[in-house]
Amino acid sequence: MSKISVKKLDIFFGKTHALKNVTLDVSANKVLAAIGPAGSGKTTFLRSLNRLNDLNPDMRYTGKILLDGKNIYDEDVNPVELRRKVGMIFALPIPLPMSICENITYGPKLAGTKNRAELRELVEKSLEDSFLWDEVKDRLDDPAMKLSGGQQQRLCIARTLALKPDVILMDEPCSGLDPISTAKIEEAMTALKKEYTIIIVTNNTKQAARVGDNTAFFLMGELIEYGETGKMFTAPNDKRTEEYISGRFG
Amino acid sequence: MRIDPKVSQRIMVTVLSLATGLALVILFFIIIFILSKGIPVLNWKFLSTFPSKMGKAGGILPTIAGTFILTLVALVFAVPLGVGAAIYLAEYIREGKTTKIVRFGADCLAGIPSIIFGLFGFILFVVILKMGWSILSGGLTLAFMVLPTIIRTSEEAVKSVPYSWREVSLSLGATKWETIRKVVLPNAVPGILTGIILSVGRSIGETAAIIFTAGSSLRLPTSLFDSVRTMSVHFYILSREGISMKNAYGTAAVLVILILAINLAAYWILHRFTKRNT
Amino acid sequence: MKNAKEVVVEKSLMLIAFSAIFMLFLIAVFIFKEGSPLIFKIGLKNFILSAKWSPLEGQFGILAMIIGSLWITAGALVIGVPLGLGCAILLSEFLPRGITAFLKPTIELLAGIPSVVYGFIGVVVLVPFIRERFGGPGLSVLAGSIILGIMILPTIISISIDALQAVPRSYREGSLALGATQWQTISMVTLKAARSGILASIILGMGRAVGETMAVIMVAGNAVKIPNSIFNPARTLTTNIALEMGFATGDHRAALFATGVVLFVIIMILNILANYAFGKRK
């Protein structure tokens, strides 16, 4: 069974029809890369999966998003709990204005974890999983803002891992980073998919080819094509996909 | 005749420098004048004893107490209301007609002369609610007076917290209120504090609104329904009725020093805050 | 599904917000409720166009106070605007940023000095000077104007500097590149681009001058008579209220509230104008 199953999803912001009739299944423990030019709806798609679009009061939707078979837009789903299960990494590294350690314990503490030893262990495990532990283990109480951009983004990943989510959403997580930091994040991603389902939005088609098991191509709010990455990058079905991947527009 | 642009430039720079020099000299003269005449009067006895003969002799102890109590009462009412209203305006309702009207209303009231607040406080608290000339009447009147300032500065402070921090906090499973309490408010505190400190300054310096609501008793108050005299009112009465120029200068110096300290504190807090976040 | 605590918090904040707004609204209501009946009773024309103010005989005309306010405020602008603007232009356009960054907050700090202190300086320094130099009582329109002119300086300087500094650098660079001198650039480009903000600073300064009470009581002489020279004493709307509130009852008190109504309306008009000027800038 697929981890996430999106059925006929339409999203509007006021009069803008941002996402048009999207149907798509995401398999567990795989990386799905969503590509497409700016304004294609890929970020809207991503943000609908943890209901972050709800913050915009003009948002309306139709359709369903099933997570483990349960519609996340059902009345009895608390978006706060949903967001613990579906973590998110933003385009720019945004550490909260606290220490490194507090950034990681922020979510778990709110979720009710009080035990200090448990929190301590969680910090270490999350930082190790995001390949940051060795670089920060001696200065966990330093302000997170003092880290470099690449380190901050890995801290953001660690912070999300500490929630023990099922799914991790990444919204162009490397757009502000240099190639070396990007490589480290991609390395982390490949390691992480053993335990998590990952959906990454990226502007960089090469990155999609490198990390994505499956790729979805969005254009003007529509899902144009969706399939296994290898196949899509060698023999796309749609001419527009081919044009985008080969860099003719976008 | 056409004046050479270079000559007109030189003339204008001279004129502007003179204007600036004059403005600065006048403004600094006021502070230096008050301090140079007032500081010699100041000593511990002046600050810690009761006035005698209506203030002709003795110190200003009850007026210091009166000033602090009135300011405190004003803050107790205005801060929770003002900060609460600011949070609601900034976080819970969308930018639109309501926020615009409220902001405009607050701006207008911030410009309303204090004598109008005095009239209002007199009729509502002193007369209609029968609180008489008292700490409560004066404090509530001051609370109304500083409320717009507190709402506006707090709203600005809350809004200056980056939106992305809120998104991050929500994405980590925080509720809206948890986000406000743990991320937004801690980072808005310096701005909110600055607004509060400026309000304290305004309360301390206020005279017109207080004289008709808190009265001018020189006794130390024992309850919230006692009348008090603030330093500003005392200073006004001393100088206006020519009771004692010496004590008037002394009181003025205390006021000016207090106001300078308060403004410096506000500036320092805001400065530290902006430095930390860049 | 929302959790119950969140709903409680939101509703209580809403309650606080609306009661704060309601309280602010209350002020207007009370001033009008207490003051407007008297205006209706004696007629708006008799109230604002008669200069006869003798409360004991039931005559309530505030023309003298309106003109007093007008004279003193106009005088304050004549003194405060050129000085303040000159200071703002020099600080924003000619002096190095470092000096401006120090002087601006220092000047703003002076806005916090209590008005009684300004009034006191007027009494001990300015009034004797005017009396010796020009004769008359010294307590006069001139003294009031000078003190208020000084008091509005921080407002005008601070807001004008903000307006001038908000003008994009490229405007100035464009003008300078065309061979204009710095002053030509300021007078022809920068001041024009910043004019709404500067106007707003003047209107707000004017609002402060119209509304000031204690400083004016101390230096302006307070005579209920239309002044015919700047060396005459005068009474303003604000001082009229402050001087008589302590002992007024009945219609007399209502007349003071009615004076408050007139003052309130004037200030609201000034606020709306300033708001409009600010809005235009954006």
Side-chain angles (χ1 to χ4, degrees):
Chain A
M1 195 179 96
S2 49
K3 184 77 189 169
I4 297 174
S5 186
V6 179
K7 293 198 194 313
K8 294 192 172 176
L9 183 67
D10 276 274
I11 289 185
F12 304 84
F13 294 110
K15 285 186 181 124
T16 319
H17 197 168
L19 213 55
K20 297 170 189 162
N21 196 21
V22 171
T23 299
L24 159 162
D25 285 337
V26 186
S27 324
N29 300 96
K30 289 274 181 344
V31 176
L32 165 65
I35 57 171
S40 62
K42 56 191 194 301
T43 296
T44 303
F45 166 71
L46 194 76
R47 289 165 70 101
S48 66
L49 298 175
N50 67 347
R51 290 185 59 176
L52 213 54
N53 284 331
D54 292 17
L55 299 188
N56 185 331
D58 291 328
M59 195 276 291
R60 285 176 299 121
Y61 72 93
T62 58
K64 279 182 184 175
I65 299 174
L66 306 178
L67 173 67
D68 295 323
K70 167 91 181 143
N71 186 5
I72 62 169
Y73 281 101
D74 274 353
E75 276 292 302
D76 61 342
V77 172
N78 184 340
V80 171
E81 276 155 28
L82 171 72
R83 288 177 196 139
R84 290 190 185 126
K85 257 195 267 177
V86 183
M88 184 162 198
I89 316 292
F90 294 84
L92 293 171
I94 307 165
L96 291 174
M98 318 168 173
S99 74
I100 295 171
C101 187
E102 284 164 339
N103 258 281
I104 296 174
T105 56
Y106 183 79
K109 273 188 183 163
L110 289 174
T113 312
K114 294 259 154 57
N115 187 315
R116 298 185 90 185
E118 203 180 321
L119 285 170
R120 180 81 204 169
E121 205 175 301
L122 199 57
V123 170
E124 189 174 338
K125 170 92 170 53
S126 318
L127 286 169
E128 270 172 355
D129 288 349
S130 62
F131 296 86
L132 191 59
W133 175 250
D134 288 334
E135 290 164 54
V136 301
K137 63 183 176 203
D138 304 322
R139 45 182 178 136
L140 291 176
D141 292 323
D142 279 10
M145 301 271 188
K146 277 194 181 161
L147 296 172
S148 74
Q151 289 173 327
Q152 287 187 3
Q153 194 60 309
R154 276 177 284 146
L155 174 69
C156 292
I157 295 178
R159 182 170 73 181
T160 303
L161 296 180
L163 292 170
K164 299 182 180 152
D166 292 353
V167 179
I168 299 175
L169 310 175
M170 299 188 177
D171 183 4
E172 299 179 30
C174 303
S175 58
L177 302 180
D178 60 275
I180 295 170
S181 306
T182 302
K184 279 188 182 162
I185 298 221
E186 287 179 6
E187 186 188 0
M189 239 184 279
T190 317
L192 288 171
K193 74 175 178 188
K194 290 188 196 85
E195 288 177 64
Y196 308 92
T197 304
I198 297 176
I199 301 172
I200 174 175
V201 158
T202 177
N203 267 328
N204 178 344
T205 48
K206 292 196 191 84
Q207 183 172 50
R210 283 194 300 269
V211 300
D213 296 305
N214 294 306
T215 299
F217 172 56
F218 288 86
L219 186 65
M220 298 174 73
E222 277 178 80
L223 175 62
I224 303 293
E225 189 168 351
Y226 171 51
E228 205 224 314
T229 303
K231 183 183 168 290
M232 205 145 123
F233 276 80
T234 48
N237 288 328
D238 196 291
K239 194 160 173 290
R240 288 169 292 181
T241 314
E242 190 191 339
E243 283 178 343
Y244 180 72
I245 290 172
S246 59
R248 235 169 284 169
F249 72 93
Chain B
M1 193 191 83
R2 207 168 163 278
I3 304 173
D4 182 351
K6 283 193 186 123
V7 175
S8 71
Q9 156 99 4
R10 204 165 301 152
I11 293 172
M12 281 320 295
V13 172
T14 315
V15 170
L16 292 176
S17 308
L18 286 177
T20 308
L22 186 58
L24 292 176
V25 165
I26 293 171
L27 292 171
F28 285 110
F29 167 78
I30 290 172
I31 290 188
I32 291 165
F33 183 82
I34 292 290
L35 292 183
S36 67
K37 295 246 182 180
I39 286 179
V41 183
L42 296 188
N43 52 45
W44 177 243
K45 205 173 145 239
F46 184 72
L47 298 175
S48 65
T49 56
F50 280 81
S52 53
K53 298 183 208 153
M54 298 305 289
K56 204 174 183 68
I60 57 168
L61 177 67
T63 69
I64 296 177
T67 304
F68 280 102
I69 294 168
L70 269 191
T71 306
L72 196 68
V73 170
L75 292 184
V76 163
F77 286 100
V79 170
L81 266 177
V83 176
I87 295 174
Y88 187 75
L89 288 178
E91 300 284 327
Y92 284 92
I93 54 174
R94 12 191 337 199
E95 197 58 31
K97 272 229 171 72
T98 324
T99 49
K100 273 209 190 99
I101 291 171
V102 171
R103 209 165 294 134
F104 176 69
D107 279 349
C108 284
L109 280 158
I112 292 285
S114 50
I115 186 78
I116 299 260
F117 285 95
L119 278 180
F120 165 74
F122 173 76
I123 202 72
L124 179 61
F125 303 124
V126 178
V127 177
I128 295 177
L129 297 176
K130 298 200 170 66
M131 293 182 203
W133 285 353
S134 64
I135 294 173
L136 211 52
S137 299
L140 284 170
T141 306
L142 281 180
F144 272 78
M145 208 174 84
V146 299
L147 189 58
T149 313
I150 293 186
I151 293 179
R152 288 295 264 126
T153 48
S154 304
E155 198 196 344
E156 289 301 318
V158 167
K159 282 203 161 155
S160 71
V161 175
Y163 186 72
S164 57
W165 292 357
R166 297 175 173 83
E167 280 195 342
V168 165
S169 169
L170 291 170
S171 81
L172 291 171
T175 62
K176 185 160 193 164
W177 176 240
E178 282 166 344
T179 300
I180 293 172
R181 209 160 41 99
K182 306 220 167 190
V183 175
V184 178
L185 284 184
N187 290 286
V189 160
I192 295 176
L193 220 52
T194 310
I196 294 175
I197 291 176
L198 293 177
S199 302
V200 169
R202 214 177 147 196
S203 302
I204 291 176
E206 185 50 44
T207 312
I210 289 180
I211 212 162
F212 304 120
T213 52
S216 57
S217 159
L218 272 173
R219 259 181 249 138
L220 265 187
T222 52
S223 96
L224 284 178
F225 293 96
D226 284 353
S227 161
V228 285
R229 183 186 289 197
T230 66
M231 280 188 273
S232 298
V233 172
H234 186 57
F235 168 60
Y236 172 71
I237 293 174
L238 287 185
S239 56
R240 177 107 179 111
E241 295 172 9
I243 294 170
S244 160
M245 277 314 203
K246 185 172 138 269
N247 282 355
Y249 277 117
T251 316
V254 176
L255 269 175
V256 168
I257 292 169
L258 209 54
I259 296 286
L260 291 183
I262 282 168
N263 279 275
L264 282 177
Y267 184 67
W268 181 74
I269 288 174
L270 208 62
H271 189 69
R272 259 185 63 127
F273 172 62
T274 37
K275 218 167 64 184
R276 206 190 62 199
N277 268 278
T278 42
Chain C
M1 196 195 79
K2 265 194 167 177
N3 98 35
K5 190 178 153 200
E6 288 291 308
V7 177
V8 172
V9 169
E10 177 169 354
K11 294 291 171 223
S12 5
L13 283 173
M14 187 174 86
L15 194 71
I16 289 173
F18 283 106
S19 49
I21 294 155
F22 171 74
M23 283 164 70
L24 296 178
F25 177 69
L26 214 60
I27 296 171
V29 170
F30 269 96
I31 300 295
F32 277 83
K33 185 179 129 315
E34 293 294 318
S36 50
L38 184 102
I39 300 182
F40 288 123
K41 191 169 144 195
I42 65 171
L44 183 63
K45 220 179 96 192
N46 286 333
F47 186 60
I48 61 172
L49 291 182
S50 149
K52 284 209 184 78
W53 175 269
S54 45
L56 295 179
E57 290 146 41
Q59 283 181 312
F60 303 108
I62 57 165
L63 185 66
M65 290 68 141
I66 293 178
I67 292 179
S69 278
L70 220 62
W71 274 67
I72 291 183
T73 305
L77 291 179
V78 166
I79 292 158
V81 170
L83 272 185
L85 261 188
C87 195
I89 294 172
L90 193 83
L91 255 59
S92 130
E93 304 297 312
F94 289 100
L95 293 183
R97 284 272 147 139
I99 297 181
T100 308
F102 167 75
L103 280 181
K104 187 170 175 262
T106 312
I107 290 168
E108 281 165 358
L109 193 149
L110 289 158
I113 300 287
S115 49
V116 275
V117 172
Y118 283 99
F120 181 67
I121 297 278
V123 171
V124 294
V125 180
L126 188 62
V127 170
F129 175 77
I130 294 176
R131 188 164 49 222
E132 278 154 32
R133 204 65 211 277
F134 304 101
L139 299 163
S140 58
V141 171
L142 181 64
S145 293
I146 293 176
I147 289 299
L148 283 184
I150 295 169
M151 287 178 73
I152 62 175
L153 273 179
T155 310
I156 293 182
I157 295 174
S158 164
I159 300 175
S160 294
I161 289 181
D162 288 342
L164 287 167
Q165 290 187 338
V167 175
R169 251 179 111 87
S170 55
Y171 285 26
R172 296 183 189 115
E173 282 163 359
S175 164
L176 292 172
L178 291 172
T181 63
Q182 220 175 344
W183 171 248
Q184 284 173 322
T185 303
I186 292 165
S187 65
M188 291 189 287
V189 179
T190 319
L191 281 179
K192 270 202 188 116
R195 65 171 183 266
S196 338
I198 292 174
L199 190 66
S201 84
I202 295 173
I203 297 172
L204 290 175
M206 197 169 153
R208 192 163 177 207
V210 173
E212 181 48 46
T213 312
M214 302 320 273
V216 183
I217 287 196
M218 294 166 89
V219 300
N222 306 324
V224 189
K225 198 170 158 264
I226 298 177
N228 46 27
S229 123
I230 55 170
F231 301 109
N232 282 161
R235 183 184 283 203
T236 64
L237 292 167
T238 52
T239 53
N240 190 40
I241 301 171
L243 285 163
E244 304 194 355
M245 199 57 212
F247 53 83
T249 49
D251 271 1
H252 185 191
R253 187 199 278 169
L256 297 179
F257 273 90
T259 312
V261 169
V262 173
L263 193 58
F264 197 98
V265 171
I266 294 174
I267 295 288
M268 285 311 267
I269 291 172
L270 289 178
N271 273 319
I272 289 167
L273 288 177
N275 205 46
Y276 179 72
F278 264 127
K280 246 175 109 175
R281 201 180 57 178
K282 280 164 196 160

